[in-house]
Amino acid sequence: MPATPQPESQGASQPSARPVRCPSCRREHAYEPSVFPCPCGASLKVPLLRGGVPVQVRFRSWEDSWLSMRCPSCGRSEQWPQPEFTCSCGATVRLPVDTDRRPVPIAPPKPPPVQRPAVQHPAGQQPPVVPPPVARRPAPSRPPFVPHPVRTSEDAILAAARYLEWLGFGTLEVSDSQDREGVCLLGSTVVAQVDTWTEPADLRAVECLWLNTLHADELQPVMFTLAGYNQESRNRADQLLVALFELDLEGVPQPVNSAARELLRTGGSN
């Protein structure tokens, strides 16, 4: 039965990170559980067991990598990844979850109050200065993208690699895909799956790609397909912020979700 998140107590202060000792090398880390978005807009954080002993993951299974939780805002039951991290010694460490507590939604920051300028001011007194709004990250200046027509699977891989380099992700390495037919393109800040199946990408394909970015900081998951995505995979990608692109025959990746459109706007970093 899935757990149900509950709102944080008003005024309650909770530490953002907790010390965790690696069971393999005994090195101490400051661990903070990741925040995961629900489709309704709520952000959830998995509750850790107070005083629980971390364990080293030696054999990973698909079922053991996920938790079932229920959102307190919309009541939706979803699968969320187990709280884990990779120690510098190479061990994957999993933290025990408090199944008696309900995962905690993270409240969004409150907007600053709007200052209304006074109609009249005493002589010699200046009106209050209203700070300018925070500007969005400007879109980088890029030359026009030169596509590579797609006729074969190798063409699709080349088109995706050329597109990622055009976005600014720099040199990429090619690795075999472990889930579906295709390859992975690996960069310093990106992990991209190029799916060359003739069937739409499914939920598992999106989750497998996202798991490849779980233990590294600032790794952007990106997926390219020739056959599109089913609805489950689109919903999951929106939750996990996986950028979805669909390749057309001209070799131009078309953004499918908001994460892909934002990536197209801001680009990557070398």
Side-chain angles (χ1 to χ4, degrees), residues 105-237:
I106 307 302
K110 296 182 179 179
V114 178
Q115 297 183 357
R116 298 180 178 273
V119 177
Q120 296 181 350
H121 305 282
Q125 183 176 349
Q126 299 294 327
V129 177
V130 180
V134 178
R136 297 177 65 188
R137 177 183 171 185
S141 176
R142 294 188 295 262
F145 174 63
V146 180
H148 179 82
V150 176
R151 301 295 181 264
T152 65
S153 298
E154 289 74 16
D155 288 337
I157 296 168
L158 180 58
R162 180 176 292 182
Y163 189 74
L164 290 173
E165 292 175 353
W166 175 74
L167 285 176
F169 285 107
T171 304
L172 304 170
E173 297 181 3
V174 179
S175 174
D176 291 336
S177 174
Q178 299 180 357
D179 185 51
R180 289 163 60 109
E181 183 178 347
V183 301
C184 280
L185 300 174
L186 308 176
S188 59
T189 58
V190 67
V191 175
Q193 168 85 6
V194 185
D195 192 301
T196 56
W197 268 24
T198 57
E199 298 178 359
D202 57 13
L203 175 68
R204 182 186 177 92
V206 171
E207 289 179 339
C208 283
L209 169 62
W210 181 82
L211 281 174
N212 289 331
T213 68
L214 186 59
H215 304 307
D217 295 333
E218 299 182 356
L219 266 183
Q220 170 66 54
V222 184
M223 178 171 281
F224 299 88
T225 67
L226 295 172
Y229 307 86
N230 62 27
Q231 191 59 50
E232 281 188 333
S233 65
R234 291 192 182 203
N235 293 340
R236 196 59 164 164

